[in-house]
Amino acid sequence: MRKDIEIPEVEDVFVAVVQEQHHEYKTNDWNAYIINNKDVDLDTVLIASKGYSETKITPVMRHTIKLLPARSYAKIEFMQNDVLALNNEFKVTFFEGNQMLDKTYLFRKNTINTKALQTIPLMQLKGILVK
């Protein structure tokens, strides 16, 4: 029976961590974003994020984005420097039309750093992208 169930693969939805200057405090902050690079809107985007290692685990943070328009992005959360040394996992679930899709995005420990910066699609900012 399980072999008859089709689970579609998520395409053109990404999570990126971008380093941005905080206007008020003049600090370089790391922020996580979800990017919808599809031609269709995403409804009811649910995101659960956590950081973990062999000895540490952060509380799970939950976020909801009611509608993520086509070819757009939205901020998920600010990431403290302490959690960059952990594996950072983002479980994303959303509706595309009448179909529910989900995917887990993982930033391995210490991969969020200035040496790994690349241009992020749609945002035209530098960051680290997980597909």
Side-chain angles (χ1 to χ4, degrees):
M1 291 284 193
R2 286 188 183 176
K3 64 180 179 178
D4 297 331
I5 298 173
E6 280 189 43
I7 300 174
E9 191 172 321
V10 173
E11 295 179 359
D12 295 326
V13 176
F14 314 113
V15 173
V17 176
V18 176
Q19 190 174 41
E20 301 173 293
Q21 176 141 18
H22 191 282
H23 300 292
E24 187 176 342
Y25 297 114
K26 307 294 185 219
T27 57
N28 287 327
D29 295 342
W30 291 98
N31 295 300
Y33 285 87
I34 184 163
I35 301 170
N36 177 11
N37 204 23
K38 292 178 172 280
D39 292 325
V40 296
D41 298 345
L42 305 181
D43 293 316
T44 315
V45 181
L46 306 172
I47 305 163
S49 64
K50 69 177 179 179
Y52 64 90
S53 70
E54 297 79 24
T55 58
K56 295 180 183 179
I57 188 165
T58 66
V60 175
M61 303 283 286
R62 291 176 176 81
H63 311 276
T64 303
I65 301 168
K66 224 166 165 38
L67 178 72
L68 186 59
R71 304 270 181 208
S72 69
Y73 56 90
K75 186 175 178 179
I76 300 171
E77 66 188 23
F78 163 75
M79 297 184 71
Q80 294 181 345
N81 287 331
D82 295 345
V83 300
L84 302 180
L86 303 174
N87 293 309
N88 288 280
E89 181 180 270
F90 295 84
K91 290 182 182 269
V92 178
T93 304
F94 59 90
F95 284 95
E96 183 180 331
N98 290 331
Q99 189 169 38
M100 180 188 278
L101 297 133
D102 73 322
K103 185 171 181 176
T104 300
Y105 300 86
L106 178 64
F107 293 88
R108 299 222 179 265
K109 61 183 175 181
N110 298 313
T111 58
I112 301 172
N113 60 63
T114 55
K115 294 176 185 166
L117 295 177
Q118 60 182 327
T119 302
I120 304 298
L122 290 178
M123 298 181 77
Q124 303 309 317
L125 295 171
K126 297 282 187 180
I128 294 90
L129 182 73
V130 173
K131 297 181 180 185

